[in-house]
Amino acid sequence: MSLLEIELGPPETDDSVDREIKACLDPGAPKSFFLYAGAGSGKTRSLKEALDYFRDSFGAGFRRSGKKVAVITYTNAAADEIAARVGQDALFPISTIHSFCWSQIGTHHTDIQAWLLKTLPEDLAELREKQAKGRAGSKAAQDRERAIASTIKRLEWLATPRRFTYNPNGDNFGADSLSHSEVLKITSSFILSKPSMQAVLVNKYPFLLIDESQDTNKSLVEAFFSLAALHKGKFALGLFGDTMQRIYSDGHPELGQNIPAEWARPVKRMNHRSPRRIVQLGNVLRAAVDGQTQIARDDSAKGVARIFIAPASTSDKPAAEGRVRERMAEICGDDGWNDDASVKTLTLEHHMAASRRGFLPMFQALDSDSRLGTGLRKGELAGLRLFTERVEPLLAAAQAGDRFAVMAHLRKTSPLLKRNALAQTPSPGDPLAPIRAAVDELTAIASSEPEARFLDILECTARHGLFEIPAALRPFVDAEDSSNPASITPEEAVEEEPEEEAEASPSSLQAWRAFLETAYSQVKPFAEYVSDKGPYGTHQGVKGLEFDRVLVVLDDSEAKGFMFSYERLLGVKATTDRSDGGETGVDRTRRLLYVTCTRAQKSLALVAYTESPDLLAAQVQKQGWFAADEIERL
């Protein structure tokens, strides 16, 4: 099979699409739309142009009536980027999906309590069922027993009227706090079931624009679809995204296929980011999915793409990848490939980076529960943040002998330095003595690396009350030792519908137990990785970004073959189809490879490790991925 032909066009090719979007934003005739915008197509630019147009055309009237155009996206970084481009304007509140949801439900305390009183007994029943079927006396049974007790405590706490708290950008502790996934579930439920909330939302936000809509929680997307259908002519939903770039498990898998007939469906085909060869490869990757093809700019460079095939038994893979960079420098005539800092190395899946950076045991433990996957990969699980954002900075300062930094960190994060805690200190002559003792003990435990486990660190932290213990970890420390014995907040666990963060789910106890038994020394490389400060990146960390030189590492042996397999994608190994028609590992792998490859602005190199080099070389040619002169052996 020959390489797909690439279509060229002038830079202004998609200008008509921007005009179509603007026409949908007419307050007199609002129209919902789904914008398909592939990699490098200028999706954020289209959003900015639409908002600028709306401000000029209808802004004054909206301001007088107190109406707004809500813009929501997936991450704080994305929200900040949109705000930087659009400018700060109260007419366009820009927020993450979690912040927006909390702004809608945050005052409905009675309704939230009623929702919890309905769902928590279901969680309790699930726990008791698992306990009845499980092996008595095991660690899992002990953990479930603690979770049952915590759930009962929370139900008892809910017996009287309560108020609730939530931090969309951080951890949520205590019986009165809601988790991230609870907020999404409650908002979805309220939008569907409460006409008064619908009326308030529609009146305040006649237009709701969702960036990265393919990764927005499925139940929330369906609730917004229902809202648009019920309030046609008064409310319009605008979705910006590309289903080929969906990377989180709780996104709607059928988004794009389920768009109502009366919606507008503008399509941006121009890729402004990548050279022609990269656009061509991206088209090949998605050809089997939706048939969407991109156009390269007629003033774009040709670009370079190569695949380097190496035996799976290669003993020093980083050295092999160093040779690839040297070869790419020769091929491209670009010395930037010889500078590690000028090359973005991407792994197809986190297991590969975890293996190379030394945090695989902790990663595998938590990844065994699919509901924890999104929070794990983003580093946002509260149970992880206790270690990465509370304990580790404290230990780093203590081990450096920086007592000032230790106290500054504790003032911001520790309940021990709250005024009421200091007033009740057992050593009033030296109120900081218990804190120093706690820090010294924690430092001593951590210094026993690599023997120290996360569980050892957790138990010491809880024993001294250094930090509040997240709900997911409370079943593993004695209630009387915890600084905050508020009950666990388990979430409804549905196996076939993974949630963004069900970290306190009854079903997640086993995963957290396995995690706590692994070495604490993994926390530093993990924290570097999820903050994108380490040498490797993945599809999640770079989606929306672009780099001159991209090196993509494909290695099923390091990815552990749980969710992804590029060898199956390429036909080196037999595929396994799901009988229920659901998503396969090949589907996921294709999307993730598309995201990584389309980050390249100048040149791209793939390094593929395989037990069948000859077959792989033949398959990438047969499928039209690479020409014969673009394939090299290591």
Side-chain angles (χ1 to χ4, degrees), residues 30-34 191-192 198-199 201-202 205-208 210 220-239 258-260 262-263:
K31 186 172 186 178
S32 294
F33 65 88
F34 174 77
I191 289 175
L192 289 171
Q198 294 176 9
L201 198 158
V202 167
Y205 304 111
F207 294 100
L208 174 59
I210 305 180
L220 195 60
V221 167
E222 291 177 345
F224 286 143
F225 271 45
S226 176
L227 187 68
L230 288 170
H231 297 274
K232 195 182 305 181
K234 296 181 180 179
F235 171 82
L237 188 63
L239 306 181
N258 61 345
I259 303 301
E262 67 272 15
W263 284 33

Side-chain angles (χ1 to χ4, degrees), residues 283-300:
N283 287 344
V284 173
L285 283 170
R286 71 181 305 156
V289 177
D290 56 14
Q292 296 278 9
T293 58
Q294 287 193 296
I295 302 170
R297 289 173 58 129
D298 55 14
D299 59 355
S300 63

Side-chain angles (χ1 to χ4, degrees), residues 167 169-173 180 380-383 385-386 389-390 470:
N167 178 3
N169 300 314
D171 302 330
N172 294 280
F173 302 136
H180 298 308
E380 292 184 353
L381 296 175
R385 288 160 62 100
L386 169 67
E389 298 183 10
R390 299 285 195 273

